[in-house]
Amino acid sequence: MRVFGRRQRLDFCDNDGRLSQWTFILAPNGGGKTTLLRAIVAAHTAVANREPLGYPGFQQLPIQDHFGRNSEDEARTWITMSRRQFGLAERAQSIDATVACMIAMNRRTVPWREHDSNVMTILDSDFDHKLAAELFLLAYGAPRMVSASGARNSQGRDRTFETLFDEDATLRDPQNWLFETDIVERRKSGTGPRLAMIEKILADILPDVDAVRIGFNKAGSPEAQFKTQDGWIPYHAMSHGYRTMMGWVIDFASRMVQRYPDSKTPLAEPAVVLVDEIDLHLHPVWQRRLIAELTRNFPRTQFIVTAHSPLVVQAAEKANLAVLRRDTHTGEMLIDNEPGNISGWRVDQILTSDLFGIESARSPIQQDKIDRRVQLIRKSRLTPKEADELRQLNEAVLSMPVLERKEDQDLLDLLKDTIASRRQPKAARAAGSK
C-alpha cells in the first residue's frame, strides 16, 4: 500500500450519489489497481469473519504478503457498507486506503490488537459483522487459470478470491461443474433449469457461440461442446480467450447457484464481484459487448473491475470511473473519483483523454511528422532544406486519414481529387488526358 501514502477514498457511487453497478479502476501498469481490489477483499473478510485479512486459516493464503507489517510499509483499509441497491441516492459504499493497521466500519475507527502470535484481531459491532457476512463477495485475479481439481483449501472451503492474491491459484474446471449439473438435472428430467441457465449465459456472452451442450467425444467421454459457424467445438479446442472467460463466468454463476439454492433466479440475486483486467485476452468486438451481457445476466451484481481498454470503458456509459494518478511532487498515487463524463465519446477521444493519457491516437511516427510540420510552420524563416522538408511533410500530413471509417475517408479522398483536378489549368488537364 506504500503507493497510497496518504488517506485515499475509492467511491462506488456516481456523480449523483447513486450506487453504480459498475466501477472501473483505471491506471497504468503498477499504478495500484490490483492493490485496491485486494484491499477490498482484505477489509471485507476481516470484518465478516472477525479475522485479520481473511477467514479462518487465512495464513495459508498469501494475503499478508501483499500488506506490509513494518513501520514503513503498513496497510490500512476502511470499508463502509450499507443495504442499498443500484439507483438509490445515497453515498453508501466506499473504500478508504491509507498507511496503518486499522479497519473502520460505518465511519468508526476500530484499532487492530496485536498479539504475541503475530496474528491481528479486530473489534467490530454485531451489526457490522452480520452485514459484512451477508455480502456475497467474489474476486478473480488476472491469471484466472483453470484446474480440474478445483481450488480448495485444507479445510475443504472454496477460495472465492484466491486467484487475486496467488498467481498459481486455479479456478474450478468449468467442464466439471457442467458435467455434475448435467448428471443431477438432465438425466432425471431432461434439461434442468440451472444447466439451461448457464448454457444460455455462455451463449449470450461468448461471441459467435449459438448454443452449448454436453456431448460425447469419439472415445465416449462427456465433454462440453459449443456450436459455432464451424460446427460443434469441444471445450479444449476453444481459444484461450474463450476458456479464460468461461473459467471465471462459470465459476461465478455456479457459486451463485450454490449460494441461493432456493431461488428460481439465482443469477439475479445480489453479489459483489471483483475482476482484475476484465478485458484480458478479449477481441475488441467482444470487449464492447461484454459489459452489456454481464449486466443483463447478473442484474443485481455490483462489478468492481480494472481495465486497460477504452472499449470496455466506452461500452459502460453509466459506469462509475476511478482513475489513479501519480502525484508528481510526492510520487504517491492519488485516486480521482470524478474524472469527468465520457458519455458519447469516441474511442480515440477516450484514449487520448486523462483516463488513459495517450498523447495521440496516431502512431508515434505519424505524430512526429505532424509535430515537425507545426515546428517548421512556426518558424519565421526557412532554409532551402527546411522548405523542401516542409513540402514533403505537407504532402504526408494532408494525406493522413481524418475520418473514423475507411469508407468515409475514401469518399473524402475522392472529393479532394475531384476538386484538385478542377483547379488545374485547362491546358494541364488536356495534357494529362492525352
Side-chain angles (χ1 to χ4, degrees), residues 89-108:
E90 178 176 325
R91 290 191 171 276
Q93 299 197 14
S94 64
I95 293 291
D96 292 339
T98 188
V99 181
C101 292
M102 307 183 74
I103 278 190
M105 288 288 292
N106 299 330
R107 296 180 175 83
R108 291 183 298 99

Side-chain angles (χ1 to χ4, degrees), residues 283-347:
H283 185 276
V285 173
W286 198 350
Q287 293 179 20
R288 300 194 75 168
R289 59 176 285 187
L290 175 64
I291 306 305
E293 294 297 345
L294 290 174
T295 300
R296 184 162 62 88
N297 284 283
F298 303 98
R300 295 181 66 192
T301 293
Q302 181 183 9
F303 291 94
I304 304 170
V305 304
T306 71
H308 287 288
S309 171
L311 290 168
V312 294
V313 175
Q314 183 197 51
E317 286 197 0
K318 297 181 180 180
N320 172 48
L321 301 180
V323 182
L324 310 186
R325 312 182 193 278
R326 189 172 297 279
D327 189 315
T328 56
H329 299 291
T330 65
E332 300 170 356
M333 297 301 294
L334 304 179
I335 303 176
D336 182 0
N337 288 293
E338 298 182 0
N341 187 356
I342 61 169
S343 177
W345 285 25
R346 299 192 310 269
V347 172

Side-chain angles (χ1 to χ4, degrees), residues 185-220:
E185 295 187 336
R186 187 191 295 267
R187 302 292 173 80
K188 292 182 177 180
S189 57
T191 301
R194 300 193 187 283
L195 183 62
M197 189 185 309
I198 303 300
E199 291 176 344
K200 177 182 179 300
I201 289 177
L202 294 178
D204 287 343
I205 293 178
L206 302 178
D208 302 322
V209 170
D210 298 324
V212 182
R213 73 181 183 187
I214 302 297
F216 296 89
N217 58 23
K218 294 181 179 179

Side-chain angles (χ1 to χ4, degrees), residues 419-433:
I419 295 175
S421 64
R422 291 184 177 180
R423 288 178 176 174
Q424 292 179 355
K426 292 183 179 180
R429 292 202 301 270
S433 63

Side-chain angles (χ1 to χ4, degrees), residues 175-196:
Q175 283 201 117
N176 284 353
W177 188 87
L178 291 173
F179 295 160
E180 293 171 2
T181 307
D182 175 58
I183 293 174
V184 173
E185 295 187 336
R186 187 191 295 267
R187 302 292 173 80
K188 292 182 177 180
S189 57
T191 301
R194 300 193 187 283
L195 183 62

